[in-house]
Amino acid sequence: MSALLRPADARQRPALRQRVFGRRRVLPGSGLSLGFTLFYLSLVVLIPLGGLFWKSTELGWADFLRIAGSERARAAYALTFSASFAAALINGVFGLVLAWVLVRYRFPGRRLLDALVDFPLALPTAVAGLAYTALYVPQGWIGRYFDLLGIQVSYSRLGVVVVLTFISLPFMVRTVQPVLLALEREVEEAAASLGAGRWATVRRVILPALLPAWSTGLAMAFARAIGEYGSVIFIAGNLPRKTEIAPLLIVFQLEEFNYAGATAIAVVLLLASFFTVGVINLLSRRQQRYG
Amino acid sequence: MSWLKKIAVPLLILTALAALVACSSDEEPSPTSTSTPTSEAATGTAAATGTAGAAEATAAPVTGEKIELLNVSYDPTRELYAEYAELFKEHYLFQTGIEVTVSNSHGGSGSQARAIVDGLEADTATLALSGDTDRLVDAGLLDEGWQSEFPLNSSPYTSTIVLLVRAGNPKGIQDWADLSDEGVGVITPNPKTSGGARWNFLAAWASVTESGGSEDDAKDLLGRIFSNVLVLDSGARGSTQTFIDRGIGDVLIAWENEALLATRDSDDYEIVYPSISILAEPAVAVVDDTVDDRGTREAATEFLNYLYDPEVQELIARNFYRPSDPDVLAQFRDQYPELKLVDIGYFDGWTAVQEKFFADGAIFDEIYQP
Amino acid sequence: MASHSVGAALPSEEPRQASTSVFAEPAWVRLLLIVVGVGFLGVVVILPVALVFEQAFALGAGFYLDAIRDPDTVSALRLTLTVAAIVVPLNAIFGVAAAWAITKFDFRGKSILITLIDLPLAVSPVVAGLIYVLIFGAQGYIGPWMREHDIRVIFALPGIALATTFVTFPLVARSLIPVMQDVGREYEEAAVSLGASGWRTFWSVTLPQAKWGLLYGIILCNARAMGEFGAVAVVSGKITGKTDTLPLRVEKLDKAFDTTSAFAVASMLVALAVVTLVLKVIVEWRTSDHESGPGSPAREHV
């Protein structure tokens, strides 16, 4: 962590400052803005998270592994990650279609629909959970049709996937959309004039060009989904080892007075979050370079 | 200062628009808006007004002093304490001239105990079982021997555990053993977080050991029952909701009061009284640490003492808890069929129970393998 | 640039007209894609919202009005607005400072800083609540000391505001960074070399260019702050009429078997979400008006 904080020290030590800021700077305010950024970041994010790690060290390695690696916890991670990935993939397919339709075609109500894509960002997740649960119970508007097929959605893993799809929808659509907009029309036209059929153009030209943005969108949708709590607890049924997501396990551990256990699982989730965000930034940097 | 405008104006607009949504509630403080729309609350207010009116002559002068109490309770008591808070307010004003406002917090009993330990400043803890209240002793918030501070082991009301099934009892559930049948969907909360669920577990356990079965037989039955569990919520209310609102499962192992509440409002459910159940004694306590800190001991103590008053005992019975007052109990006898009950003494008290059944790696963890 | 603005404003360019046959999918493919895409949006977004209103008015408008006028609901609304009023300005100031530092200067560890700023978006809100309980709870690191000095954090407004600050932390910065990145440094550098002070440069050069990005971030931050559930649930104590926010109130009513009231309160939150979207669309329109100018928050991926 000390490495991360180096720029803060730099404020007080001009020599170091020279080394840290390589380029000659014209604009003022580097110390102030960076200092404040780091101060606030530390206060709200780093110190509390550090406290979390510190707390988890109260457990020995053996205990940490026993709790964070227990069968129940592993099942919860598995559900959290697989459901999040499934939701991201669903958005990867349908969200892509939606983005394509919104960018390329013109039809009545397009603008309204485009605005609605952001609804999941604005709607409190508890409301989403409440509505989705009511929608997918066997008597619900949609649940009744699944019920005819003998499929249970609310209170099953499927329910978790469904609600996570809602939560992470904008992340996919909004990442792909600008790239679709910016795709050079000439390239497509060139492909077409060279005799490529429309499908071949889509497959050979458009989709490869979309791939970096698409994978970034996928990762962002995934990252958003693994953290989700409010909506999932309404719809999941919360059955240990079956429909219990990892964040809920933390709450249960907490309610069972098992603080160390709660932090152990939290640390695992946190590392996963950190990793995912790191991957996203890597992806988007590459996209920046080649996209 | 145009920059200020640029940030402040949008913020203002946002807030104003948000407030717009609420304005219908802020602008018209109609007299009815002070009571909740539920019928239970209406009864409570009516009862409360009655009290004040009846004994007007001896009312203490209104001092204008105001205090606030926080009562932290378990899941199904939401309706009871919402009503009681109104009743108690009238009573205390009448008795002392002090206006007391009681706020309530509800959740799984274990979770609520945890919240108090973490610093939720409860004046009174009215949890589902004394074992949870004991955790406050461990945290130094409550003096030992708290259970002798109020009559009847600090249990102003009791309840028991029954089975709630769907109308017509399609799965033919008569007793605990039937819950382990294949194809029966069982709903119960999580014993790790819910007090009611621990009572559920013990009642089913006693059904085996009381009829001559061994502990291994009991483990076997509980194991099979829990393999039938479809949804494991963190509190009793969540389970009731899963069973009733969401229509999941064939049988709900429930507090008697929850079951009676459900059948009062609807014909879609029936109560099945098992051959044996457990005497569930929710215990009440004044949280010493908080009341000494806030100077609310007197009001908090009266808040719990008044629960034993016959009038409140009636309120308790109307909310389907078993009153401790024998006269009131007799009056509501029809509501509570005779039932063979064991009590927590049968299991050597909560400390032993916690260690044997619900601690990490204890019997519950052993048998619960979904 | 390694940051994304989720749901960022798009230039409201007209969709390309598929006029020539080489360039267009067959009509039936187009129709199919529209049906699939729009149908997906309908099932995922529109239906749940419709259901909220249907359920909210299931017992008539009178009941609905009573439900949203309930004093406990009103106090929950008040708390929700108070929290937003504390959190949003704080995160807005932070967002401006962070965006300035990241886009106007080069320094080592920048990508790590960006990752750290993004982190709260992926951290489970429950973890966010947990860390504050661990620090400020009565059993926590500084909880006992705070208690001695009569400072209440957990189970009171400060704790709720802190947890909300954490989960909404990156939203303004994320919206601003791409915009300020796009603008580049030339304008500011020119202003400074012409003798303008740092603050002057910021107020009269940077902010006008970035204002829509800032406003956009503020709108997103505000929406999330008013809707947060998981983090707030862990630190609130759920005291009816005191530490219940609107989302917690929804859950509580749902648990009290008062489903219709729960949906009524939920519909208030949906209304707030609609307001958010409308504001967002307005910002996007303004942005596209200015698209020729340097201050467009669009095209952060281009």
Side-chain angles (χ1 to χ4, degrees):
Chain A
M1 195 144 296
S2 62
L4 307 179
L5 292 172
R6 201 175 293 146
D9 303 335
R11 228 158 28 102
Q12 285 105 39
R13 279 179 284 166
L16 190 61
R17 180 177 176 159
Q18 278 301 324
R19 274 194 285 142
V20 172
F21 297 96
R23 208 186 90 166
R24 191 184 59 86
R25 281 160 305 110
V26 178
L27 296 178
S30 68
L32 181 67
S33 62
L34 193 57
F36 177 73
T37 301
L38 288 169
F39 168 73
Y40 192 70
L41 182 72
S42 308
L43 195 71
V44 178
V45 178
L46 297 183
I47 293 173
L49 288 182
L52 183 74
F53 277 99
W54 181 253
K55 184 85 183 174
S56 72
T57 58
E58 285 178 11
L59 290 168
W61 265 112
D63 280 332
F64 182 89
L65 288 178
R66 185 177 58 77
I67 294 169
S70 73
E71 196 196 331
R72 185 174 169 188
R74 287 202 310 269
Y77 306 137
L79 175 65
T80 298
F81 295 132
S82 63
S84 300
F85 191 67
L89 269 187
I90 292 175
N91 279 321
V93 176
F94 291 100
L96 182 64
V97 171
L98 184 60
W100 176 269
V101 163
L102 289 176
V103 170
R104 291 295 172 102
Y105 304 145
R106 189 190 255 178
F107 52 93
R110 185 184 62 87
R111 286 240 169 149
L112 180 69
L113 292 175
D114 190 57
L116 279 177
V117 169
D118 285 332
F119 213 85
L121 292 178
L123 191 72
T125 55
V127 175
L130 188 70
Y132 263 76
T133 309
L135 211 50
Y136 283 95
V137 290
Q139 309 90 310
W141 288 0
I142 301 180
R144 68 179 61 153
Y145 301 109
F146 279 97
D147 197 43
L148 290 179
L149 302 171
I151 300 171
Q152 191 193 347
V153 183
S154 283
Y155 311 106
S156 75
R157 289 173 182 171
L158 189 56
V160 179
V161 174
V162 165
V163 82
L164 289 180
T165 304
F166 171 81
I167 297 296
S168 55
L169 169 74
F171 291 78
M172 174 53 88
V173 177
R174 292 302 189 222
T175 315
V176 175
Q177 243 174 339
V179 180
L180 266 179
L181 258 178
L183 264 185
E184 297 287 331
R185 192 189 176 118
E186 290 74 22
V187 180
E188 286 177 52
E189 277 166 356
S193 66
L194 288 173
R198 184 61 187 154
W199 172 235
T201 310
V202 168
R203 202 161 42 93
R204 298 253 176 84
V205 178
I206 300 178
L207 288 184
L210 277 180
L211 190 65
W214 186 82
S215 42
T216 308
L218 201 70
M220 289 176 69
F222 178 75
R224 174 69 182 87
I226 56 175
E228 179 51 21
Y229 172 76
S231 59
V232 178
I233 56 154
F234 277 88
I235 203 169
N238 310 334
L239 201 60
R241 288 173 241 202
K242 283 185 188 158
T243 59
E244 185 176 72
I245 54 165
L248 182 67
L249 199 57
I250 296 173
V251 173
F252 275 159
Q253 294 281 348
L254 201 61
E255 293 182 343
E256 289 167 19
F257 284 79
N258 193 348
Y259 296 89
T263 52
I265 295 161
V267 163
V268 172
L269 270 190
L270 204 58
L271 292 176
S273 312
F274 201 78
F275 179 74
T276 319
V277 173
V279 167
I280 291 171
N281 283 337
L282 209 70
L283 278 174
S284 61
R285 252 204 315 236
R286 280 183 45 182
Q287 183 189 331
Q288 208 60 42
R289 222 170 297 153
Y290 309 111
Chain B
M1 293 303 266
S2 65
W3 59 272
L4 190 64
K5 253 190 268 167
K6 278 176 185 131
I7 298 179
V9 168
L11 265 181
L12 265 174
I13 294 174
L14 261 185
T15 324
L17 279 170
L20 254 182
V21 185
C23 74
S24 61
S25 45
D26 281 340
E27 273 175 6
E28 307 161 48
S30 67
T32 50
S33 70
T34 48
S35 74
T36 56
T38 60
S39 59
E40 289 97 322
T43 345
T45 324
T49 331
T51 336
E56 217 166 327
T58 53
V62 174
T63 60
E65 195 186 331
K66 285 183 182 173
I67 37 178
E68 295 189 3
L69 290 183
L70 174 59
N71 171 45
V72 173
S73 190
Y74 60 109
D75 233 354
T77 55
R78 291 160 197 270
E79 292 79 12
L80 171 64
Y81 279 108
E83 247 181 274
Y84 177 57
E86 297 296 319
L87 189 61
F88 178 71
K89 187 176 187 166
E90 298 290 335
H91 164 74
Y92 203 67
L93 185 68
F94 169 73
Q95 198 189 40
T96 63
I98 298 170
E99 191 179 332
V100 57
T101 312
V102 184
S103 306
N104 291 303
S105 169
H106 297 274
S109 185
S111 334
Q112 293 292 80
R114 199 270 307 168
I116 298 175
V117 169
D118 268 337
L120 182 59
E121 296 193 314
D123 296 281
T124 57
T126 52
L127 302 175
L129 44 89
S130 57
D132 284 332
T133 318
D134 283 335
R135 297 186 167 193
L136 309 184
V137 178
D138 300 339
L141 302 173
L142 193 60
D143 297 337
E144 247 168 279
W146 61 272
Q147 221 170 349
S148 54
E149 278 181 30
F150 293 94
L152 306 166
N153 272 332
S154 294
S155 294
Y157 46 86
T158 62
S159 190
T160 187
I161 301 299
V162 299
L163 308 174
L164 190 69
V165 298
R166 306 208 177 269
N169 196 358
K171 300 274 172 157
I173 287 155
Q174 299 304 329
D175 209 345
W176 292 105
D178 301 327
L179 302 187
S180 66
D181 290 351
E182 215 156 294
V184 173
V186 177
I187 307 292
T188 176
N190 181 354
K192 295 262 188 172
T193 53
S194 155
R198 267 169 277 171
W199 292 114
N200 294 351
F201 188 98
L202 296 179
W205 185 276
S207 75
V208 177
T209 52
E210 261 298 270
S211 56
S214 69
E215 294 218 331
D216 283 335
D217 297 337
K219 273 187 204 173
D220 181 56
L221 177 72
L222 267 300
R224 280 183 290 128
I225 291 178
F226 270 89
S227 70
N228 278 345
V229 169
L230 300 176
V231 181
L232 201 67
D233 289 286
S234 69
R237 182 48 64 87
S239 288
T240 313
Q241 238 182 340
T242 300
F243 185 74
I244 289 178
D245 285 354
R246 320 291 189 227
I248 309 266
D250 302 306
V251 54
L252 171 73
I253 313 178
W255 289 99
E256 183 186 43
N257 47 282
E258 286 279 275
L260 285 167
L261 182 68
T263 49
R264 180 196 64 184
D265 292 338
S266 161
D267 295 330
D268 297 340
Y269 315 98
E270 288 175 16
I271 296 178
V272 171
Y273 285 89
S275 61
I276 181 172
S277 190
I278 194 159
L279 176 67
E281 296 171 294
V284 299
V286 169
V287 183
D288 297 308
D289 195 57
T290 316
V291 295
D292 290 345
D293 197 41
R294 300 185 54 221
T296 48
R297 179 177 287 280
E298 210 172 311
T301 307
E302 182 58 21
F303 182 75
L304 298 184
N305 254 329
Y306 191 52
L307 284 169
Y308 293 89
D309 187 276
E311 190 188 351
V312 180
Q313 288 281 312
E314 268 191 58
L315 172 76
I316 283 169
R318 277 202 306 277
N319 278 285
F320 308 116
Y321 297 83
R322 295 188 174 210
S324 57
D325 185 308
D327 297 336
V328 179
L329 184 61
Q331 191 186 329
F332 285 86
R333 194 66 260 179
D334 297 345
Q335 200 167 298
Y336 309 110
E338 288 289 352
L339 194 55
K340 185 180 174 197
L341 299 175
V342 297
D343 65 12
I344 196 65
Y346 180 79
F347 296 95
D348 303 323
W350 276 109
T351 317
V353 164
Q354 197 65 28
E355 202 175 310
K356 180 175 173 187
F357 293 98
F358 303 119
D360 259 348
I363 289 178
F364 177 69
D365 283 344
E366 193 183 317
I367 59 140
Y368 184 50
Q369 305 285 348
Chain C
M1 170 196 61
S3 182
H4 283 268
S5 156
V6 172
L10 286 168
S12 59
E13 200 173 287
E14 279 310 304
R16 288 144 194 254
Q17 266 299 69
S19 46
T20 55
S21 61
V22 285
F23 199 59
E25 293 78 33
W28 67 269
V29 174
R30 258 187 291 163
L31 192 67
L32 181 75
L33 287 178
I34 291 179
V35 167
V36 169
V38 173
F40 178 65
L41 191 66
V43 170
V44 171
V45 175
I46 301 173
L47 218 52
V49 172
L51 179 99
V52 169
F53 283 100
E54 194 255 1
Q55 293 279 318
F57 287 95
L59 298 180
F63 187 92
Y64 178 83
L65 282 179
D66 280 346
I68 63 170
R69 272 189 209 149
D70 182 277
D72 292 337
T73 300
V74 173
S75 96
L77 175 69
R78 199 171 294 130
L79 179 63
T80 298
L81 295 178
T82 310
V83 169
I86 295 170
V87 169
V88 175
L90 279 179
N91 280 340
I93 294 170
F94 164 75
V96 170
W100 179 267
I102 285 169
T103 58
K104 305 299 174 197
F105 306 110
D106 297 310
F107 52 91
R108 283 187 210 168
K110 194 194 252 189
S111 63
I112 296 174
L113 180 64
I114 292 173
T115 301
L116 285 175
I117 289 175
D118 280 349
L119 191 60
L121 274 194
V123 171
S124 174
V126 171
V127 176
L130 172 67
I131 57 183
Y132 292 111
V133 170
L134 289 178
I135 293 173
F136 299 110
Q139 310 290 306
Y141 290 117
I142 54 174
W145 179 86
M146 296 195 105
R147 200 188 150 128
E148 265 169 37
H149 294 78
D150 231 23
I151 307 168
R152 308 261 181 293
V153 177
I154 295 299
F155 307 122
L157 177 63
I160 297 172
L162 259 179
T164 310
T165 306
F166 183 95
V167 294
T168 58
F169 180 78
L171 291 173
V172 176
R174 271 178 154 270
S175 311
L176 263 180
I177 289 171
V179 181
M180 289 176 52
Q181 188 93 39
D182 252 19
V183 173
R185 302 169 190 176
E186 290 73 20
Y187 293 93
E188 282 98 344
E189 286 174 350
V192 169
S193 61
L194 289 173
S197 74
W199 287 111
R200 175 86 197 278
T201 307
F202 176 74
W203 296 125
S204 38
V205 179
T206 311
L207 204 58
Q209 292 172 337
K211 62 184 173 186
W212 295 112
L214 176 63
L215 187 55
Y216 183 80
I218 286 175
I219 291 171
L220 274 188
C221 179
N222 184 62
R224 185 79 202 270
M226 293 199 292
E228 180 48 34
F229 178 81
V232 172
V234 175
V235 297
S236 109
K238 301 175 182 172
I239 307 167
T240 305
K242 281 196 177 158
T243 61
D244 272 344
T245 60
L246 275 185
L248 292 180
R249 180 83 188 139
V250 170
E251 192 214 13
K252 184 163 279 182
L253 285 168
D254 186 48
K255 284 224 160 144
F257 293 114
D258 204 348
T259 316
T260 310
S261 297
F263 275 103
V265 178
S267 76
M268 296 166 75
L269 286 165
V270 172
L272 286 174
V274 170
V275 170
T276 304
L277 283 194
V278 169
L279 288 176
K280 187 182 153 291
V281 168
I282 293 173
V283 168
E284 282 170 9
W285 280 349
R286 295 301 300 262
T287 312
S288 59
D289 289 349
H290 294 241
E291 215 187 338
S292 49
S296 163
R299 297 176 181 264
E300 67 273 28
H301 298 281
V302 182

